[in-house]
Amino acid sequence: MIDVLVVDDDTRVAEINAAYAAKVEGFRVVALAHSAAEALARIAEMPVDLILLDHYLPDENGLSVVRELRALGHQTDVIMVTAARDVATVQAAMRHGALQYLVKPFNFAGLRAKLEAYATLRRTLDSVGEAEQAEVDRIFGTLSAGAIAPELPKGHSPTTAEVVRQVLLAADGPLSAQEIAERAGVSRQTAQRYLKLLERTSRVRLTLRYGETGRPEHRYVWVPST
């Protein structure tokens, strides 16, 4: 079983997230916490495999919790589960070692996909000793590929696809390919290539914005899972 700590300042939300996680085969919620201090105390008392971590906590934010855990030598895996949608927070979470980032509000299917991808990653890591490049690519692509599609076409990077997805999730409304490229740190051509893929798989919806003159501008918005 994968032992899980759920951290959220809202007690009702924490209970809902815990109930969702407990429904996924192989996962067991062993504790809840509602502040950074309480989360760190729980980990000190009883190490867990995975933390479902909110960013907005009453005493510190979630990224501070991750930093302190690492400073204390805890290598507990973290999935951010938060309403924080700004790209800066998403990027900081990635840099601090969060394995996934789930934006609120979400449904059970959204959390289940993250947890199942995480379980797949653990099984993959447990089954290999030394890894060739193909195996390394598969390990690094396990989580992000699961968020986009079961298998990306040849020549597409799961990491880039995930960055584009996070940009769309964090947006307040439809974005142009140029805006997405700038926020994702990729070229406009690369952004367009991944947007076409996501549109074909019905994960992104294309809309048109008409100006006073010229061609309509293509704009893209993420389609939530149902």
Side-chain angles (χ1 to χ4, degrees), residues 125-202:
L125 293 173
D126 289 342
S127 67
V128 298
E130 295 184 354
E132 300 296 335
Q133 185 62 52
E135 189 68 24
V136 171
D137 290 342
R138 186 164 72 90
I139 291 170
F140 272 83
T142 296
L143 288 171
S144 54
I148 302 295
E151 183 176 349
L152 291 173
K154 185 176 180 180
H156 287 76
S157 162
T159 302
T160 303
E162 178 66 6
V163 170
V164 171
R165 186 181 81 95
Q166 293 293 352
V167 167
L168 288 164
L169 282 171
D172 293 329
L175 297 174
S176 68
Q178 183 61 41
E179 290 170 328
I180 293 167
E182 292 172 355
R183 299 184 188 191
V186 299
S187 69
R188 187 173 186 275
Q189 291 77 13
T190 296
Q192 287 178 317
R193 188 156 62 96
Y194 282 85
L195 288 167
K196 287 179 181 178
L197 168 66
L198 294 171
E199 185 188 355
R200 285 200 303 270
T201 56
S202 300

Side-chain angles (χ1 to χ4, degrees), residues 63 80 90 122 141 149 151 187 193 203 206-207 221 225-226:
L63 295 180
M80 299 295 294
V90 175
R122 284 177 63 98
E151 183 176 349
S187 69
R193 188 156 62 96
R203 306 310 302 272
L206 170 64
T207 61
V221 63
S225 301
T226 56

